[in-house]
Amino acid sequence: MTDAYIALETGDVVTARSRAPGEAYGELVFTTPYTGYEESLTDPSYEAQVLTFAYPLIGNYGVREDRFESDRVHPSAVVARELTDDVADWLTEEAVPAIDRIDTRDLVLDIRERGAMKCGIAAGPDATPADAKAQLEQCPHMSDVTDIGDRVSVDDAEFHPSGADDPLTTALIDCGTKKSIVDSLNERGADVHVFPHDATREDVDAVDPDLLFVSNGPGDPANFERTEELVVDSIDEVPIAGICLGQQIVARAAGGETEKMDFGHRGVNQPVLDVRTEKVVMTTQNHGYSVADPGELEVTQINVNDDTSEGLESADRDIITRQYHPEAHPGPHDTLGFFDDVLEMAEDGRHPSRAD
């Protein structure tokens, strides 16, 4: 095993063990679960970030491709207390630097106290602290990664049929979508047309959708200007749903505002309160920005820990969004009914008399 170094925005340089060689930079964030590492590592919402696992051992049940959420690993680099050989070999094949034998408890506390921060990583036989510092100097603020949508979105439209006899037609705007979202819609009888994040209203209208769905994704929602324009053009024309980044984009399109969080919500243990039913559910989350002002939408769910907006709706305008991930695999399945609610809204829009 060879040396590795992580240079932090605080000025500290921490020594570690190299598990997958290379150099990288990104926003240093942490996640809490001890399962689901394959899903986390292939989640496009981690693009341009260095992912630290709070749980001490990552990889104790191997690596299986059928658990992947996309076709590649998205974090710029990976940090853990200990990585198994299975995960280390996978990350080496993916050319994603990985380090371990580091006190992740201390690192997580730093992020909690100081917020998500820029970092640089150098790992491998010839790595030096200076190399890690050089990577840190190149690291931009997350809001300055303006091409992040291009990095994670499809280049061309894709079609995923459900096989249902009378399927609903969903136009899914891919801002970094997870495979589980497409699967959740297909399983409920919805055909899914996946469009690039910069799709136009004319592109979407070509499939005559019953539902416009804005996906999760990484980075600052303000950088998804074309997606926001599409939602603005579609409000009151077609039912609209969104998850995670999708909620933020829809809120901005409805006159709201978003803001950067200190260290974000990432993990499988986020409690969410429905303000109408007073029911609390546990959720999986992965985001560094949140809705500060919902605009014309109603806040229907809030985070129990910090009161941030977790659900927005407008019954009059056929809009439902969630900040968390109802489709999480693995993770709490308390909120899978979101997809049923969304497709019921789309069905009512298809047959207006049913909504009366």
Side-chain angles (χ1 to χ4, degrees):
M1 300 300 175
T2 51
D3 288 334
Y5 304 91
I6 177 169
L8 306 176
E9 199 172 351
T10 60
D12 296 323
V13 178
V14 182
T15 302
R17 175 177 70 163
S18 172
R19 297 295 270 134
E23 296 181 348
Y25 57 77
E27 182 180 68
L28 183 66
V29 300
F30 71 88
T31 189
T32 57
Y34 61 90
T35 61
Y37 47 85
E38 298 137 310
E39 289 87 348
S40 293
L41 290 168
T42 55
D43 182 351
S45 293
Y46 280 117
E47 184 75 19
Q49 294 157 86
V50 172
L51 180 58
T52 299
F53 287 98
Y55 190 75
L57 174 63
I58 297 299
N60 59 348
Y61 54 84
V63 176
R64 282 175 44 184
E65 190 172 345
D66 61 356
R67 297 191 183 111
F68 293 2
E69 289 289 355
S70 68
D71 60 2
R72 67 177 175 90
V73 173
H74 283 273
S76 303
V78 177
V79 180
R81 177 69 185 88
E82 183 179 353
L83 293 167
T84 66
D85 289 345
D86 285 339
V87 173
D89 292 344
W90 174 36
L91 294 173
T92 299
E93 292 170 3
E94 291 279 317
V96 174
I99 64 176
D100 67 2
R101 293 202 176 160
I102 188 171
D103 188 347
T104 49
R105 297 169 301 178
D106 189 50
L107 200 55
V108 167
L109 286 173
D110 268 355
I111 299 170
R112 287 276 301 184
E113 292 170 2
R114 302 170 186 266
M117 65 183 80
K118 294 186 278 188
C119 74
I121 284 179
D126 302 317
T128 67
D131 295 332
K133 290 180 180 179
Q135 289 296 309
L136 171 62
E137 290 173 1
Q138 299 178 58
C139 185
H141 187 276
M142 182 58 75
S143 292
D144 294 330
V145 186
T146 56
D147 67 340
I148 201 162
D150 294 333
R151 298 186 191 183
V152 297
S153 185
V154 293
D155 294 325
D156 301 299
E158 299 177 354
F159 178 55
H160 299 266
S162 65
D165 292 335
D166 185 24
L168 287 163
T169 300
T170 299
L172 176 63
I173 309 305
D174 179 13
C175 301
T177 194
K178 294 167 63 180
K179 176 179 176 290
S180 292
I181 293 178
V182 176
D183 291 344
S184 295
L185 292 166
N186 278 165
E187 289 166 3
R188 288 164 174 79
D191 288 353
V192 180
H193 295 264
V194 180
F195 289 94
H197 73 97
D198 56 358
T200 65
R201 179 68 191 278
E202 290 72 22
D203 295 332
V204 171
D205 282 349
V207 302
D208 191 22
D210 301 301
L211 173 70
L212 178 69
F213 200 118
V214 186
S215 82
N216 64 292
D220 189 339
N223 287 328
F224 288 81
E225 295 177 356
R226 296 290 296 276
T227 312
E228 184 178 332
E229 290 173 6
L230 172 63
V231 176
V232 169
D233 291 343
S234 302
I235 289 177
D236 296 325
E237 299 296 326
V238 63
I240 296 172
I243 285 177
C244 198
L245 178 77
Q247 165 161 296
Q248 299 158 21
I249 292 172
V250 172
R252 291 175 62 90
E257 297 178 0
T258 51
E259 63 184 359
K260 185 81 164 67
M261 305 176 76
D262 288 338
F263 50 83
H265 293 158
R266 297 175 179 90
V268 297
N269 55 353
Q270 292 286 336
V272 169
L273 170 68
D274 189 298
V275 299
R276 297 168 299 187
T277 65
E278 298 188 346
K279 178 181 178 181
V280 173
V281 292
M282 300 305 294
T283 67
T284 294
Q285 303 200 18
N286 176 13
H287 60 102
Y289 293 77
S290 65
V291 175
D293 176 354
E296 300 168 8
L297 304 179
E298 175 189 1
V299 177
T300 58
Q301 299 184 346
I302 60 172
N303 190 286
V304 173
N305 293 329
D306 60 14
D307 292 333
T308 52
S309 299
E310 294 284 1
L312 304 176
E313 296 185 18
S314 174
D316 294 338
R317 310 186 82 174
D318 288 336
I319 297 173
I320 306 177
T321 67
R322 296 292 184 262
Q323 185 58 69
Y324 49 84
H325 286 266
E327 79 294 342
H329 295 286
H333 292 169
D334 302 20
T335 57
L336 275 171
F338 167 74
F339 291 99
D340 298 314
D341 294 341
V342 165
L343 293 178
E344 182 180 354
M345 175 181 69
E347 184 73 23
D348 287 342
R350 184 197 247 183
H351 304 284
S353 60
R354 298 184 186 181
D356 294 336

